[in-house]
Amino acid sequence: MGSWIIVGLGNPGSQYEGTRHNVGFWLLDQLARDLGVNFTVQNRYHGELVQCSLDGHKVYLLKPLTFMNRSGQSVALLANFFKIPLENILVIHDELDLAPGTVKLKRDGGHGGHNGLRDIIAQTGGKQFLRCRLGIGHPGHSKLVSDYVLSKPSPTDRQQIEQAIDNVLRILPEVLSGNMDKAMNWLHSQ
């Protein structure tokens, strides 16, 4: 069993807490609470980090503090230092093209216009990492996207996103064990 990095994408600072763009942070915060561990700021990796065990796997939970567009800097530093291959990195991020509460898992692929993913691909030199796409919905027009992702969801949307996070936490052991098909089938049936 190799080590893993689970990265939650978001923006640091209290003004971004609870915003749609920070759903990756939401998931990692919930996972840390469930595991009884606490993040500490690690300047060396430009992020908040905690090492823990999840279903027998050594896992680094990482919240980059470099802002979304520079997330790759933090991910690359951590992966290079601990020699963790791209295949053992799971990136949790918001997804405009999915309705709130929808979750999709995938391996490889492009950035799909997501600046956090774009920078991770650029900084690590590859696309072979896993992605967990948490749906946040779309505002309806591309000119509205920036304000939309940096605002808080409605109570109904938030509840759906939180349910999706619970679903992801339920299948994480399967993902880390290499049972992606089983995890995806269960997730996509919810």
Side-chain angles (χ1 to χ4, degrees):
M1 286 191 219
S3 297
W4 280 82
I5 298 173
I6 301 177
V7 184
L9 297 187
N11 286 312
S14 58
Q15 69 271 34
Y16 299 108
E17 285 179 20
T19 63
R20 292 175 177 93
H21 222 18
N22 276 34
V23 296
F25 281 13
W26 301 7
L27 189 144
L28 259 60
D29 288 338
Q30 183 61 51
L31 179 56
R33 282 191 295 274
D34 291 353
L35 295 173
V37 296
N38 296 303
F39 285 95
T40 59
V41 173
Q42 298 287 321
N43 292 326
R44 176 181 193 163
Y45 306 113
H46 304 288
E48 289 186 28
L49 181 68
V50 63
Q51 178 191 326
C52 55
S53 178
L54 179 58
D55 208 45
H57 299 273
K58 184 177 187 179
V59 176
Y60 298 92
L61 305 180
L62 174 66
K63 297 192 302 184
L65 296 178
T66 51
F67 288 92
M68 185 66 76
N69 297 355
R70 302 283 297 146
S71 299
Q73 180 182 12
S74 180
V75 175
L77 285 168
L78 187 64
N80 289 337
F81 185 80
F82 289 106
K83 299 188 180 1
I84 297 175
L86 285 175
E87 294 80 11
N88 283 28
I89 298 174
L90 171 62
V91 178
I92 316 287
H93 66 90
D94 59 305
E95 178 59 63
L96 285 163
D97 294 331
L98 297 175
T102 305
V103 181
K104 297 287 183 186
L105 287 174
K106 72 183 259 187
R107 182 179 292 282
D108 291 337
H111 54 73
H114 194 288
N115 290 329
L117 294 178
R118 178 182 281 123
D119 196 58
I120 292 171
I121 292 167
Q123 296 291 327
T124 62
K127 302 186 262 188
Q128 301 89 349
F129 54 90
L130 295 170
R131 299 101 191 279
C132 177
R133 304 160 57 212
L134 288 170
I136 61 168
H138 197 286
H141 194 281
S142 61
K143 290 183 180 179
L144 303 174
V145 165
S146 183
D147 288 339
Y148 180 78
V149 298
L150 296 177
S151 65
K152 295 181 179 182
S154 69
T156 301
D157 285 358
R158 181 167 181 109
Q159 184 178 22
Q160 291 173 324
I161 293 167
E162 287 173 348
Q163 180 59 56
I165 287 171
D166 289 343
N167 289 342
V168 172
L169 295 177
R170 183 172 172 175
I171 57 90
L172 268 181
E174 296 291 349
V175 173
L176 300 182
S177 296
N179 300 324
M180 278 287 288
D181 289 341
K182 183 176 180 182
M184 284 192 285
N185 288 338
W186 186 86
L187 262 184
H188 299 172
S189 70
Q190 298 304 303

